[in-house]
Structure formats: C-alpha cells, structure tokens
Amino acid sequence: MPDVSCKAWAVADAKTLRYLAWMRQEESRDIASTTKMMTALLSAQEIGKDATVLDEAITFSKRADDTSGSSTTIRAGESVSLRDAFFGLMLPSGNDASVALAEWYGMRKGAVEAKTDPLKFFVDAMNDEARRLGMMKTTFRNPHGITDPEHKSSCEDLVILANALMQYRFAAEVVGARGPQSSATGVAGKKREGDMEKYELR
C-alpha cells in the first residue's frame, strides 16, 4: 500500500480503471487544484474540435489577474496564446489561467447570447460534463478549486476525470512537458518573455 498523507486516495489502472489500491475513495471532499482537470478537459474538447484555437490570444481580465493563488504573473490586459494559457493552467498554481480559460470558453460557447456571466456559464458546463461522465459525487463552484463549501468531489470521480482528460493528446503532452517558454503581450504591444515553469515573465 502507498505511504501517503492524504485522508482519501485511489490508485487505478489507466486502461481498465480497475482500482489497485484505495482508501475512502467514495467520500466527497474538498478537491483544491485537482479541479483544474475539468477546466483542462473542457478546454481540450474545444482544441480537439479545432486545433487552430491553440494560437488564439487569450486576454486576462482583471478578475483573472485578481484570482488568489496565482503564479503565472500575467497581468490584466495582457494576452497569451491559448496554448500558453493551458500550460499555465496546469502549473501549481495557475488559478488566474483557469479564470481566463473559463471566460474564453463561456464567450466562445454562447454566454453573451444567454446573457450570463461567461464564468458562470463555464462552471455550469463543468457540472454538466461531470454528470455526463458519471461523476455523481462532484459539484463544481469555480474553475480552480479555491475552497467553497459546495465545491467537492471524490477520488472515484477524480479517477474518471483524469482518465477522460488523458484521452486528449494535447492535454497528455502538456502534463508531460518540462520548462515551456512563454510570452505575454500587453495592450500597447509590449512583450514579456519567460520560463513558465518558473512562473516568471520578464
């Protein structure tokens, strides 16, 4: 059995989803940044439909910039490619990128037409996808996992989510990447370059 400090955990075979070891895997608990697997999954689905979106410019809003627990150092008004935003999302802790991607997704999928906040639109989509995947002990309230009394999942559900995410080639490549380079472009066209793995743009 693994020697871990987690109060609940599960290890499963990636091909069969058969559990190899577990403890309290069925309990619904706070899930913190593992939330971002669903943010990544919804983004990866859009990339799977049209890979050209990887080069789209994602502009960080003040809301994204102000999101706590963020380390990609992208400022409000600056833009990065969706490719770089996805890398930033998967860093510890790309909470700002999660909001930027959520807003991008909401605007792309019809939040304006629905006259709703694109972030709320995205969170609704997260919960819809969770139901579709059979994640019955999961409720999302944001795209990053900052603690909310209703924002929970179980290890069983997270195994399902991780398996679904890894079906997308780009997502799998990002998870296995090391030291990606990135650049951010400001409103006036000024660029900052840096090593995203170190969470710094200069």
Side-chain angles (χ1 to χ4, degrees), residues 36-47 54 58 60 72 80-91 94 97-98 101 104 165-166 168-175 180 196:
K36 289 185 286 185
M37 288 194 292
M38 180 60 85
T39 305
L41 176 60
L42 292 180
S43 301
Q45 289 173 348
E46 294 304 297
I47 295 167
L54 285 168
I58 305 297
F60 278 53
T72 58
V80 299
S81 68
L82 187 142
R83 177 183 286 103
D84 284 350
F86 198 106
F87 271 100
L89 169 73
M90 302 304 282
L91 293 171
S98 77
L101 284 167
W104 167 81
L165 178 59
M166 288 299 97
Y168 289 86
R169 179 179 174 182
F170 178 72
E173 289 174 351
V174 169
V175 169
M196 190 169 272

Side-chain angles (χ1 to χ4, degrees), residues 36 53 70 95-99 109 114 124 139 146 175 186 194:
K36 289 185 286 185
V53 301
S70 299
N95 292 350
D96 48 357
S98 77
V99 173
K109 301 293 282 185
D124 289 344
T139 303
I146 293 174
V175 169

Side-chain angles (χ1 to χ4, degrees), residues 4-10 22-27 29 155:
V4 299
S5 61
C6 302
K7 293 180 179 178
W9 53 271
W22 59 89
M23 183 178 76
R24 299 176 180 169
Q25 78 284 0
E26 77 289 351
E27 294 181 3
R29 291 178 171 269
C155 294

Side-chain angles (χ1 to χ4, degrees), residues 39 41-50 53 56 58 82 100-126 128-129 132 168:
T39 305
L41 176 60
L42 292 180
S43 301
Q45 289 173 348
E46 294 304 297
I47 295 167
K49 294 173 187 174
D50 179 9
V53 301
E56 280 191 22
I58 305 297
L82 187 142
L101 284 167
E103 292 175 336
W104 167 81
Y105 180 98
M107 296 294 288
R108 177 180 175 84
K109 301 293 282 185
V112 173
E113 294 80 358
K115 297 182 179 179
T116 189
D117 178 359
L119 183 59
K120 180 183 182 302
F121 188 99
F122 185 80
V123 173
D124 289 344
M126 294 173 79
D128 289 343
E129 184 66 9
R132 190 188 72 80
Y168 289 86

Side-chain angles (χ1 to χ4, degrees), residues 156-172:
E156 286 179 335
D157 282 1
L158 292 179
V159 165
I160 294 170
L161 177 55
N163 179 263
L165 178 59
M166 288 299 97
Q167 303 309 308
Y168 289 86
R169 179 179 174 182
F170 178 72

